[in-house]
């Protein structure tokens, strides 16, 4: 397991930034299911961003694109299939080509599960939540807006799928807020330490590179199994803080775990370049 909290702190410390204080909670809310999952409407919550033609490359293999970030909760219809991408966040670009949106947006697997009557129906809109380092803004602004959308969609439960490290924190904070308002949630993610540090009721963990919380790319069986494990948690989790690990293995070796945001793999020149890119992104955000 990658220790993302330690990894990211070292990564940014090398660039001269102060240590980020990740959210941590000892008390975890837990909303009990009020009816069987087979009778529930499921809302899908993502940190992916709507594709914008007016912005630079957001396609498969695109470099980090801060211009594609969004700062307000949005909704988009589930049909036609929405074009939501992850070029704006720090997923594992070495091991994820981002050429299969089903690895971060499990709509196809959800449709299949609905057809099999695992749950009653899917909410008519996907809810998009910002990736925000400000925990205060996530809790006081984004979480209440998300709750209003979930309620407007008349969803009984919510499935939250993050991508980058901060994405995992943001959706976990929102999951806690929803639970406090009687909406059962499941977080599907890859950064176990971050999610468990925040403290969520139900967590389906895949030990995969970031960007693959919903399964392996171009592997329908993997995506189906990953979603099935997440949905099952709505029924089987009896206590707050329940984590279930997917039995799937990413590859025959764990070399990929040595790559993401590992400062030991970067030269002084690369670190300086990264700092410049981060400063540009921060300046761009201030103009918003």
């Amino acid at each position: 397991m990658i220790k993302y909290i330690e990894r990211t702190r070292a990564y940014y410390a090398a660039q001269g930034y102060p240590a980020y204080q990740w959210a941590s909670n000892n008390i975890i809310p837990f909303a009990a299911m009020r009816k069987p999952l087979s009778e529930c409407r499921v809302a899908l919550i993502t940190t992916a961003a709507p594709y914008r033609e007016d912005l630079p490359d957001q396609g498969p293999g695109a470099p980090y694109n801060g211009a594609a970030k969004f700062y307000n909760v949005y909704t988009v219809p589930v049909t036609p299939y929405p074009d939501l991408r992850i070029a704006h966040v720090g997923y594992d670009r070495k091991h994820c080509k981002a050429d299969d949106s089903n690895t971060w947006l499990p709509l196809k697997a959800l449709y299949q599960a609905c057809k099999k009557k695992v749950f009653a129906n899917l909410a008519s809109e996907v809810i998009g939540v910002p990736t925000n380092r400000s925990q205060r803004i996530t809790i006081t602004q984004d979480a209440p807006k998300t709750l209003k959308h979930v309620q407007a969609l008349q969803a009984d439960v919510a499935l939250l799928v993050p991508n980058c490290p901060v994405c995992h924190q943001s959706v976990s904070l929102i999951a806690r807020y929803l639970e406090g308002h009687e909406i059962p949630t499941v977080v599907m993610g890859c950064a176990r330490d971050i999610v468990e540090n925040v403290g969520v009721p139900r967590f389906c963990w895949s030990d995969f590179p970031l960007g693959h919380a919903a399964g392996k790319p171009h592997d329908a069986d993997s995506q189906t199994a990953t979603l099935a494990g997440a949905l099952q948690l709505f029924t089987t989790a009896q206590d707050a803080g329940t984590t279930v690990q997917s039995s799937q293995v990413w590859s025959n070796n764990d070399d990929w775990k040595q790559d993401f945001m590992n400062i030991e793999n970067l030269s002084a020149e690369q670190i300086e370049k990264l700092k410049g890119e981060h400063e540009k992104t921060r300046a761009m955000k201030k103009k918003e």
Side-chain angles (χ1 to χ4, degrees):
M1 180 182 83
I2 295 178
K3 295 181 178 180
Y4 286 99
I5 293 176
E6 293 180 11
R7 186 77 64 87
T8 55
R9 281 177 175 164
Y11 182 80
Y12 287 108
Q15 298 173 55
Y17 296 110
Y20 180 70
Q21 296 301 311
W22 292 89
S24 180
N25 297 284
N26 293 321
I27 299 175
I28 304 174
F30 186 84
M33 295 285 287
R34 288 177 284 185
K35 56 185 177 181
L37 181 61
S38 60
E39 299 176 12
C40 289
R41 175 173 294 171
V42 178
L44 176 60
I45 300 174
T46 182
T47 58
Y51 172 69
R52 288 178 51 184
E53 293 184 355
D54 59 318
L55 297 178
D57 189 7
Q58 301 145 71
Y64 174 78
N65 186 350
K69 280 186 174 294
F70 62 97
Y71 302 99
N72 293 294
V73 176
Y74 72 85
T75 62
V76 62
V78 294
T79 54
Y81 198 93
D83 190 356
L84 305 178
R85 308 190 185 189
I86 56 175
H88 66 298
V89 293
Y91 66 89
D92 188 336
R93 282 172 164 76
K94 182 172 182 178
H95 300 277
C96 178
K97 296 180 180 179
D99 59 353
D100 181 6
S101 63
N102 296 294
T103 67
W104 66 81
L105 193 73
L107 279 177
K108 288 184 178 179
L110 280 165
Y111 284 133
Q112 292 172 354
C114 184
K115 196 171 184 179
K116 294 178 181 178
K117 299 183 179 180
V118 176
F119 58 92
N121 51 63
L122 182 64
S124 60
E125 296 179 327
V126 175
I127 302 171
V129 298
T131 298
N132 204 319
R133 284 184 172 80
S134 171
Q135 297 161 33
R136 178 186 61 81
I137 291 177
T138 297
I139 294 169
T140 63
Q141 296 183 31
D142 300 336
K145 289 179 181 177
T146 303
L147 174 63
K148 287 183 178 179
H149 286 304
V150 171
Q151 293 172 331
L153 291 167
Q154 298 183 319
D156 302 292
V157 300
L159 186 68
L160 301 93
V161 188
N163 293 289
C164 73
V166 178
C167 290
H168 282 73
Q169 176 176 259
S170 296
V171 302
S172 296
L173 290 171
I174 290 173
R176 290 174 56 86
Y177 188 89
L178 296 177
E179 294 276 344
H181 290 79
E182 302 303 320
I183 303 293
T185 65
V186 169
V187 174
M188 298 173 66
C190 300
R192 180 171 183 169
D193 60 332
I194 294 174
V195 175
E196 292 186 337
N197 206 52
V198 176
V200 301
R202 307 168 188 82
F203 176 39
C204 180
W205 175 48
S206 295
D207 194 11
F208 289 171
L210 296 178
H212 300 91
K216 297 181 181 181
H218 309 293
D219 188 333
D221 290 340
S222 170
Q223 294 160 12
T224 298
T226 303
L227 177 67
L231 292 176
Q232 189 175 35
L233 267 175
F234 282 116
T235 300
T236 60
Q238 300 299 313
D239 300 299
T242 299
T243 294
V244 171
Q245 179 181 354
S246 168
S247 61
Q248 299 180 55
V249 177
W250 177 255
S251 64
N252 294 327
N253 63 66
D254 286 341
D255 290 351
W256 62 271
K257 295 183 180 181
Q258 301 303 316
D259 295 325
F260 185 77
M261 292 182 102
N262 191 343
I263 203 66
E264 295 179 1
N265 295 340
L266 301 176
S267 65
E269 292 77 11
Q270 289 173 315
I271 293 172
E272 192 62 29
K273 181 180 179 181
L274 283 171
K275 184 175 182 179
E277 292 173 349
H278 291 148
E279 289 300 321
K280 286 181 181 178
T281 299
R282 291 174 62 171
M284 187 182 304
K285 184 175 180 180
K286 288 179 181 179
K287 294 178 181 179
E288 291 288 332

